[in-house]
Amino acid sequence: MNTVKSKTPTLTDVKKAYNRIRPYIRNTPVHTSGTLNKDLKAEVFFKCENFQKTGSFKIRGACNVIYSLSDEDAAKGVCTHSSGNHAQALAFAALSRKINAIIVMPENASSVKINAVAGYGGDIRFCEPTQEAREAVCSEIQQETGAVFVPPFNDNRIIAGQGTASLELLSDYPELDMILTPVGGGGLLGGTAIAAKGINPKAKVIGTEPEMANDAYLSFKEGMIIPVDNPATIADGLKTSLGELTFAAISDHVFDIVTVSEKSIIDAMRYVWERMKIIIEPSSAVPVAALMSGSMDIRNKRIGIIISGGNVSLDQLPWDKQ
């Protein structure tokens, strides 16, 4: 039995988050591809969070936290650790409220994401590329400055905020049979599942993950959190292990988690770039790869995909390395 079930957000929390953050985010468009639909013999609806402010869905959770803070806490500033998208989102959200944000980033983070964080006014502190190093540096910053720590995913306000993407998607397309998202730390998948099950209980919410970073898949199957140790995947946004709250939300509401190969991620990313003419990052290609793999029964289904982000360096395109 899930021992933290009572602590996880509800559909009401997701709706409250949406009302709180609406002035600061975009209601992103939903795109389709006639070619892909024909190839898959299904209808696929892409919720394009790559067109979101800061280039990913992460701004939703970050804004929900920032605008939930009291004036007293906000005045202390905020801090976090992130390889990129959460870092950008928190820096942007903090800037919009005119408070300080200290961002701990691994030394091997994408230069595109580092530059974006700096551009949003984030005070960047680098660390070794391990979870332990990130957490240690953040803890030191909190002790020195009193800044409020904003977790990248394992926080009810983050989970509820991320769920607002599917709230918008289901407002436009309420009769979806399935919704797919990538899964790293689990905030997007957990929030999506909570919102979807509250609005359309018949919709199957499925998490998608690289085979080379399959901790969520293993955790889901085993019924306990199985952490990942520095996985080697092109989908850099999905290298983080689940947290207690995200695992609880996923365990309670997600139908399944499937994994895909590195080659299929790259192929799906290139397909979307070439056929749909939109830029997505490798993490966003993971659910597309899951559909294109042929491993799921999707014929004649209406399927939503949360395209999580489009922050990718044009100097480091993955197909150039094949």
Side-chain angles (χ1 to χ4, degrees):
M1 180 178 290
N2 174 16
T3 59
V4 294
K5 182 175 180 179
S6 62
K7 298 180 182 179
T8 56
T10 64
L11 177 61
T12 298
D13 295 318
V14 176
K15 289 181 176 179
K16 287 180 179 178
Y18 189 57
N19 289 333
R20 183 178 294 118
I21 70 177
R22 283 178 69 180
Y24 312 105
I25 65 166
R26 294 188 181 120
N27 185 329
T28 51
V30 177
H31 285 196
T32 60
S33 167
T35 301
L36 183 64
N37 287 349
K38 183 178 178 181
D39 289 345
L40 298 179
K41 296 179 173 58
E43 288 185 272
V44 185
F45 302 90
F46 293 84
K47 178 64 171 171
C48 292
E49 289 293 287
N50 52 317
F51 296 141
Q52 186 56 265
K53 292 181 179 180
T54 73
S56 87
F57 73 95
K58 290 282 190 175
I59 190 65
R60 295 174 180 271
C63 278
N64 194 37
V65 174
I66 290 296
Y67 286 96
S68 296
L69 295 176
S70 66
D71 290 341
E72 181 180 0
D73 284 340
K76 301 173 184 176
V78 293
C79 67
T80 195
H81 54 79
S82 168
S83 61
N85 283 341
H86 176 65
Q88 294 177 67
L90 189 65
F92 180 92
L95 180 64
S96 73
R97 193 169 172 180
K98 297 181 175 57
I99 64 176
N100 187 47
I102 303 174
I103 313 294
V104 177
M105 301 186 73
E107 296 167 340
N108 62 351
S110 162
S111 60
V112 170
K113 295 178 180 180
I114 292 171
N115 293 338
V117 172
Y120 295 133
D123 179 0
I124 302 173
R125 311 287 176 88
F126 290 105
C127 69
E128 295 181 2
T130 66
Q131 188 72 13
E132 293 78 10
R134 292 184 184 195
E135 293 175 355
V137 175
C138 256
S139 179
E140 291 174 4
I141 291 169
Q142 282 183 277
Q143 293 176 13
E144 292 172 4
T145 68
V148 177
F149 177 62
V150 182
F153 52 87
N154 197 45
D155 184 286
N156 281 340
R157 298 163 297 178
I158 294 288
I159 297 170
Q162 316 307 27
T164 62
S166 59
L167 201 67
E168 291 177 353
L169 174 62
L170 288 164
S171 176
D172 293 333
Y173 300 95
E175 300 300 323
L176 294 176
D177 298 301
M178 304 165 65
I179 301 177
L180 275 63
T181 84
V183 54
L188 177 62
L189 178 58
T192 295
I194 289 167
K197 288 304 179 184
I199 297 170
N200 178 6
K202 295 181 180 179
K204 295 178 179 178
V205 178
I206 297 174
T208 60
E209 188 174 43
E211 291 174 353
M212 300 297 290
N214 66 342
D215 61 290
Y217 169 84
L218 294 174
S219 300
F220 186 75
K221 299 301 181 183
E222 294 297 324
M224 59 185 290
I225 296 177
I226 299 175
V228 65
D229 183 21
N230 199 26
T233 175
I234 190 68
D236 65 323
L238 307 183
K239 292 183 176 182
T240 310
S241 299
L242 300 177
E244 181 187 55
L245 293 175
T246 56
F247 176 65
I250 289 167
S251 298
D252 288 341
H253 301 291
V254 169
F255 178 75
D256 199 6
I257 296 178
V258 300
T259 61
V260 295
S261 69
E262 293 297 293
K263 182 179 185 303
S264 71
I265 295 170
I266 296 170
D267 290 345
M269 180 178 170
R270 184 163 189 163
Y271 184 101
V272 172
W273 279 48
E274 292 181 344
R275 300 300 180 90
M276 297 185 69
K277 315 304 179 188
I278 59 176
I279 293 177
I280 65 171
E281 59 188 82
S283 299
S284 297
V286 173
V288 184
L291 287 186
M292 296 176 69
S293 70
S295 62
M296 294 187 292
D297 178 16
I298 61 173
R299 189 182 180 92
N300 299 321
K301 297 289 196 301
R302 290 166 60 85
I303 305 162
I305 288 184
I306 308 295
I307 295 294
S308 54
N311 293 317
V312 59
S313 172
L314 299 183
D315 294 326
Q316 299 175 354
L317 298 178
W319 44 81
D320 289 341
K321 302 177 182 179
Q322 288 183 308

